[in-house]
């Protein structure tokens, strides 16, 4: 029997302006078993916004909705809407350090209010049957001790009932650093996350931050339950074609990148018919052929032409012709 593990064993991180529904549909062509995340969506946008912030395609499953918010009632209402729409998990953002997020009293600043986080988690768990998880950091500002992290996890798990934590292995500076700098400057401390799993063996602990290869993911999986990959998965999505085999034990052949592009055609045509611009979809596909001769030409052709009026499947085919015959054939 093929050993397929739970989806949280490997996931692609929620990334603002990146992991939209077009991106997730594309990534699903590369890996069938990985857990995908939406961009962070605020409770206010879902409840009061004019757009459909929960739009997604069922073929993206399994997908987790990441919420930003602090009010228990609003979180519960959004979780209920997400469950009705078929999402597979609700994740609360307790890790984003941007000023805009702090002003809304959500994101990483909530690490300093574990009782509030626990209330929100409990309210969602009381309302839905979906897993409700937390993505957080190892600390904030001067509150960077291991005891601080343990106190947060203990309170949110015991009072809120949260059973799964995704830990970005960096602390967050709530002022003085931009969100981009907060992803790079605070040093990574993987050992602290490993220790957390040892001290809370009954909880599901996933690690996030700086993971650049599946080999690194395998090392982490010797210590924790899951690995979340962010920027590398987006910028070099081709590596996701190996995830199902390498990390989930699937015996299905790795996805072929040319076949992946062509598998997108029905989706692209359906979206173009709705008025979506080709570039809104293909911008997520630019890194697919990284490391393969012709990859630069592929990127350039799409970057220069996908936003032009009338850009369509033919535009993608033209880009594909610049790289398809240069891909080594499997022996």
């Amino acid at each position: 029997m093929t050993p397929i593990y739970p989806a949280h064993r490997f996931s692609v991180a929620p990334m603002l302006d990146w992991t939209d529904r077009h991106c997730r549909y594309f990534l699903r062509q590369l890996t069938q078993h990985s857990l995908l995340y939406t961009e962070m969506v605020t409770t206010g946008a879902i409840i009061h916004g004019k757009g459909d912030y929960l739009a997604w395609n069922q073929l993206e499953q399994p997908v987790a909705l990441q919420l930003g918010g602090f009010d228990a009632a609003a979180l519960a209402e959004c979780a209920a809407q997400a469950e009705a729409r078929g999402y597979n998990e609700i994740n609360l953002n307790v890790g984003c350090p941007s000023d805009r997020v702090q002003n809304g009293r959500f994101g990483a600043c909530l690490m300093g209010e574990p009782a509030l986080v626990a209330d929100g988690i409990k309210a969602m768990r009381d309302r839905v049957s979906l897993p409700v998880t937390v993505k957080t950091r190892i600390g904030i500002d001067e509150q960077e001790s291991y005891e601080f992290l343990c106190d947060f996890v203990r309170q949110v798990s015991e009072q809120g009932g949260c059973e799964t934590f995704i830990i970005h292995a960096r602390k967050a500076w709530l002022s003085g650093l931009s969100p981009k700098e907060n992803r790079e400057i605070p040093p990574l401390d993987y050992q602290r996350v490993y220790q957390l799993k040892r001290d809370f063996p009954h909880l599901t602990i996933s690690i996030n931050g700086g993971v650049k290869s599946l080999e690194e993911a395998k090392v982490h999986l010797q210590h924790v339950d899951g690995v979340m990959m962010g920027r590398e998965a987006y910028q070099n999505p081709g590596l996701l074609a190996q995830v199902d085999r390498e990390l989930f034990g699937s015996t299905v052949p790795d996805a072929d990148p040319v076949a992946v592009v062509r598998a997108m055609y029905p989706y692209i045509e359906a979206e173009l018919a709705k008025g979506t611009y080709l570039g809104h979809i293909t911008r997520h596909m630019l890194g697919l052929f990284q490391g393969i001769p012709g990859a630069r030409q592929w990127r350039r052709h799409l970057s220069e032409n996908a936003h032009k009026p009338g850009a369509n499947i033919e535009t993608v085919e033209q880009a594909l012709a610049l790289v398809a015959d240069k891909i080594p054939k499997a022996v």
Side-chain angles (χ1 to χ4, degrees):
M1 181 178 174
T2 303
I4 300 298
Y5 298 92
H8 60 67
R9 181 173 171 84
F10 184 87
S11 59
V12 178
M15 291 175 279
L16 203 58
D17 298 324
W18 285 5
T19 52
D20 63 17
R21 61 189 180 90
H22 304 312
C23 176
R24 298 191 304 269
Y25 191 94
F26 164 60
L27 297 181
R28 186 55 75 210
Q29 310 310 308
L30 291 155
T31 169
Q32 290 298 300
H33 300 295
S34 303
L35 180 61
L36 303 180
Y37 282 76
T38 69
E39 306 169 86
M40 182 187 69
V41 186
T42 66
T43 54
I46 294 172
I47 295 172
H48 304 295
K50 294 181 179 178
D52 182 2
Y53 290 91
L54 295 178
W56 71 305
N57 189 303
Q58 292 288 334
L59 296 180
E60 298 169 28
Q61 288 185 325
V63 176
L65 170 70
Q66 189 183 62
L67 287 174
F70 68 92
D71 180 78
L75 288 168
E77 171 58 28
C78 292
Q81 289 189 34
E83 183 175 50
R85 297 289 289 273
Y87 279 91
N88 305 94
E89 174 187 315
I90 308 296
N91 178 262
L92 181 63
N93 184 317
V94 190
C96 182
S98 78
D99 291 340
R100 184 172 61 83
V101 166
Q102 289 181 64
N103 291 338
R105 203 183 176 196
F106 52 91
C109 62
L110 285 177
M111 274 202 87
E113 300 187 76
L116 190 63
V117 174
D119 287 346
I121 296 296
K122 185 177 187 306
M124 289 189 281
R125 283 173 53 86
D126 287 347
R127 188 81 176 269
V128 303
S129 59
L130 299 178
V132 179
T133 66
V134 166
K135 185 174 189 292
T136 190
R137 297 270 185 148
I138 59 173
I140 48 173
D141 295 340
E142 304 303 332
Q143 297 173 292
E144 57 182 359
S145 70
Y146 181 63
E147 290 70 28
F148 173 74
L149 176 60
C150 285
D151 287 344
F152 174 82
V153 169
R154 183 177 296 108
Q155 196 164 342
V156 174
S157 62
E158 292 179 359
Q159 298 179 16
C162 185
E163 299 173 349
T164 300
F165 292 81
I166 302 110
I167 311 292
H168 186 154
R170 288 184 175 94
K171 77 170 184 178
W173 285 103
L174 299 182
S175 60
L177 294 182
S178 69
K180 180 178 185 297
E181 290 170 330
N182 259 301
R183 291 192 297 268
E184 299 168 352
I185 292 178
L188 286 160
D189 190 347
Y190 293 139
Q191 295 300 323
R192 184 164 292 197
V193 184
Y194 298 168
Q195 184 64 47
L196 193 70
K197 176 58 186 178
R198 289 195 290 270
D199 291 339
F200 294 87
H202 58 292
L203 298 179
T204 298
I205 303 293
S206 292
I207 199 166
N208 170 233
V211 183
K212 295 186 180 298
S213 71
L214 300 189
E215 290 307 311
E216 290 177 32
K218 289 179 182 178
V219 172
H220 290 311
L221 287 169
Q222 296 174 21
H223 304 278
V224 294
D225 302 296
V227 174
M228 175 180 278
M229 182 181 285
R231 284 167 289 168
E232 190 67 25
Y234 185 86
Q235 294 166 348
N236 182 20
L239 66 80
L240 297 179
Q242 305 166 38
V243 166
D244 291 355
R245 174 174 52 83
E246 292 281 350
L247 299 185
F248 288 91
S250 172
T251 56
V252 176
D254 296 353
D256 170 71
V258 173
V260 164
V261 172
R262 292 193 167 130
M264 289 292 293
Y265 287 179
Y267 177 83
I268 290 173
E269 288 177 332
E271 286 296 321
L272 293 178
K274 297 175 188 174
T276 302
Y277 290 106
L278 178 65
H280 290 172
I281 303 171
T282 58
R283 71 186 182 98
H284 303 300
M285 303 166 61
L286 298 180
L288 178 60
F289 297 102
Q290 186 168 308
I292 296 172
R296 185 177 301 172
Q297 289 88 337
W298 155 265
R299 291 194 303 270
R300 181 185 299 136
H301 188 85
L302 287 179
S303 297
E304 293 177 353
N305 296 285
H307 289 280
K308 291 181 178 178
N312 55 23
I313 294 295
E314 182 60 31
T315 309
V316 184
E317 268 292 309
Q318 292 166 356
L320 197 57
L322 300 171
V323 68
D325 61 348
K326 301 178 176 65
I327 299 175
K329 301 298 181 186
V331 178

